[in-house]
């Protein structure tokens, strides 16, 4: 069972990387200039969630996946900083996986992630100009993108971005 699940996760990861790569190849550079905190994603219960509803406070959106090594390394630190910075809303937006895979990973890793959100088609972060995973987006209280960090974040880098919000 575990081998099958691992194979499915790795296959899903390969498909996601291919989709992100194709999106990077086809994307227009001017698309990033107008990135706003908006778009429909899903809750773990499968309900629609509009990211625009989070405007009014600074928001950090971390696009990640369970099969992504750099995502796994940065996630504990990101969760810790989310708890330490209550004035900033942290959104953990899973890419291309379902709630079951995320729940299983969080249990295995012994991580407490409140309310993960899901971008099953990865369409949203492709529109936002993601070049791979993890990618972290920093939005001001009005919903305007002020910074984007591709790749794994170190704590010092995250704190620097947070100071800009």
């Amino acid at each position: 069972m575990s081998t099958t699940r691992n194979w499915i996760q790795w296959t899903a990861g390969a498909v996601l990387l291919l989709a992100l790569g194709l999106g990077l190849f086809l994307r227009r550079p001017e698309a990033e200039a107008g990135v706003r905190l908006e778009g429909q994603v899903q809750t773990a219960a499968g309900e629609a969630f509009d990211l625009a509803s989070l405007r009014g406070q600074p928001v950090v959106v971390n696009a990640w996946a369970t099969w992504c090594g750099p995502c796994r390394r940065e996630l504990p630190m990101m969760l810790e900083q989310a708890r330490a910075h209550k004035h900033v809303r942290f959104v953990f937006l899973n890419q291309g996986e379902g709630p079951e895979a995320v729940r299983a990973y969080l249990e295995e890793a012994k991580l407490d992630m409140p309310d993960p959100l899901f971008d099953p088609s990865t369409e949203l972060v492709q529109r936002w100009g993601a070049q791979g995973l993890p990618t972290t987006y920093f939005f001001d209280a009005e919903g305007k993108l002020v910074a984007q960090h591709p790749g794994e974040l170190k704590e010092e880098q995250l704190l620097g971005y947070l100071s800009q919000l």
Side-chain angles (χ1 to χ4, degrees):
M1 180 71 166
S2 178
T3 303
T4 302
R5 187 179 74 181
N6 287 341
W7 182 84
I8 291 170
Q9 286 177 334
W10 284 108
T11 302
V15 169
L16 178 61
L17 284 177
L18 180 61
L20 284 173
L22 184 58
L24 172 62
F25 178 73
L26 297 175
R27 75 182 174 95
R28 295 171 302 195
E30 66 272 13
E32 291 179 40
V35 172
R36 304 279 301 164
L37 183 62
E38 58 191 19
Q40 294 290 318
V41 296
Q42 293 180 359
T43 67
E47 298 170 354
F49 183 87
D50 185 3
L51 291 174
S53 68
L54 300 176
R55 291 184 186 164
Q57 65 183 336
V59 176
V60 174
V61 177
N62 179 249
W64 72 288
T66 64
W67 52 264
C68 166
C71 301
R72 286 177 173 238
R73 286 191 300 269
E74 77 175 7
L75 196 53
M77 178 274 298
M78 295 283 287
L79 290 166
E80 180 181 319
Q81 291 303 319
R83 287 187 292 274
H85 292 87
K86 299 286 188 199
H87 67 287
V88 177
R89 172 72 185 262
F90 279 72
V91 173
F92 296 95
L93 186 59
N94 182 270
Q95 299 298 295
E97 298 176 294
E100 301 80 25
V102 170
R103 189 175 9 263
Y105 168 70
L106 294 173
E107 285 177 14
E108 175 186 314
K110 295 180 177 33
L111 294 173
D112 180 26
M113 178 186 292
D115 306 321
L117 294 174
F118 298 85
D119 183 11
S121 67
T122 73
E123 180 182 328
L124 181 64
V125 296
Q126 287 181 51
R127 274 198 335 243
W128 287 356
Q131 298 176 16
L133 295 178
T135 300
T136 306
Y137 303 88
F138 299 86
F139 295 92
D140 66 15
E142 286 76 43
K144 178 182 169 200
L145 181 69
V146 295
Q148 174 180 338
H149 185 94
E152 184 177 352
L153 266 170
K154 302 296 181 204
E155 185 173 14
E156 300 78 29
Q157 293 171 309
L158 177 60
L159 292 173
Y161 286 118
L162 291 175
S163 71
Q164 295 175 16
L165 297 177

